[in-house]
Amino acid sequence: MQYRMIVCIVPHDCGEEIVKCANQNGARGGTIVMGRGTASNNLLQILGLGDSWKDIVFILVESEVEKNVRQAIINCVPAKSHHFGVMFSENIGTFIKAGVNGHNIKGDVIMNSQSEYEMINIIVNKGYAEDAMTAARKAGASGGTIIAAKGTAKEGDEKFFGVDIVPEKDMLMILVPADKKEAILTSIKELPCFAKAGSGIIFCNQAEDFTLLGKKN
């Protein structure tokens, strides 16, 4: 079985409707996380995403129903909302579903061509996400979404991972054109607050099928 993750970033309190539409068209559930948009004024004019609270919706679907689910989400967006949010899909390299007939189910890897967009994910100690976003903007990023998070590392893990054990974390998600990724990563890594080993981690993944929600597609 092959799986894909559909991700939507929409106005706060709209995530439930997105999940409802997805479930009515082949999805089996979703997860909604609240974050804060950090888009610049220029991006606000283009995408309608400013400094406001957002719902980040994660919907895991079987690849055979992905197209129907994506179209259902597009159709359920209010017609009057010209700039509603964004939607994209991600590869799921490994998917394990526990508790099914006493066995685990492992998803197959889907190999796709190079994507035009990348999602940069940055996990840092609380208070540093804004610094990272400022550096990313200087290198060409337009905006991102900050999610309040909580670390769960235990004593001794800092020796293995080389990270500070600080409970309060920020997770910053920045969707960027693929050709700008390296410049943005370099700009973030050169920040003084990231000079200390273990001050944060960064990982990237392809964001495919990028779609603007709330306009004619």
Side-chain angles (χ1 to χ4, degrees):
M1 185 70 69
Q2 295 180 332
Y3 295 89
R4 298 270 286 169
M5 182 70 78
I6 298 175
V7 182
C8 301
I9 302 177
V10 298
H12 182 46
D13 287 335
C14 294
E16 293 283 355
E17 185 63 26
I18 296 293
V19 174
K20 179 181 178 181
C21 291
N23 290 346
Q24 291 174 344
N25 289 272
R28 301 183 182 181
T31 300
I32 302 171
V33 179
M34 189 170 69
R36 178 167 58 86
T38 63
S40 64
N41 288 335
N42 288 338
L43 187 65
L44 176 62
Q45 295 174 359
I46 298 173
L47 302 182
L49 304 175
D51 288 324
S52 58
W53 292 105
K54 304 292 179 184
D55 282 351
I56 302 96
V57 186
F58 299 91
I59 305 172
L60 186 67
V61 299
E62 297 172 358
S63 58
E64 61 188 28
V65 302
E66 179 193 5
K67 183 176 180 180
N68 288 341
V69 172
R70 286 177 56 87
Q71 189 59 53
I73 292 172
I74 292 171
N75 293 341
C76 83
V77 170
K80 64 180 179 180
S81 300
H82 185 64
H83 299 305
F84 188 77
V86 298
M87 174 173 62
F88 57 92
S89 301
E90 299 176 339
N91 277 330
I92 297 298
T94 300
F95 169 61
I96 298 176
K97 185 176 181 180
V100 181
N101 297 325
H103 300 284
N104 290 337
I105 300 174
K106 185 173 182 179
D108 299 324
V109 178
I110 305 174
M111 301 301 294
N112 290 324
S113 59
Q114 187 68 28
S115 173
E116 294 182 1
Y117 290 88
E118 292 258 355
M119 176 64 80
I120 300 175
N121 305 274
I122 306 165
I123 300 176
V124 294
N125 293 336
K126 187 175 179 61
Y128 289 130
E130 293 285 0
D131 293 335
M133 190 66 248
T134 298
R137 280 200 184 102
K138 291 179 179 179
S142 296
T145 301
I146 299 173
I147 303 171
K150 180 180 178 181
T152 61
K154 62 183 182 297
E155 185 178 355
D157 282 352
E158 72 275 12
K159 296 180 180 179
F160 183 73
F161 291 105
V163 300
D164 293 331
I165 304 303
V166 178
E168 298 298 321
K169 304 286 184 182
D170 283 338
M171 181 174 179
L172 173 62
M173 302 168 61
I174 310 174
L175 187 65
V176 302
D179 59 358
K180 293 184 177 181
K181 182 186 75 171
E182 292 302 326
I184 292 171
L185 291 177
T186 298
S187 182
I188 294 171
K189 289 187 291 184
E190 290 178 348
L191 281 171
C193 62
F194 287 96
K196 181 182 177 181
S199 57
I201 61 172
I202 302 174
F203 60 95
C204 305
N205 52 274
Q206 292 185 356
E208 302 170 353
D209 302 318
F210 179 77
T211 304
L212 295 178
L213 297 174
K215 64 176 294 185
K216 294 181 179 180
N217 295 279

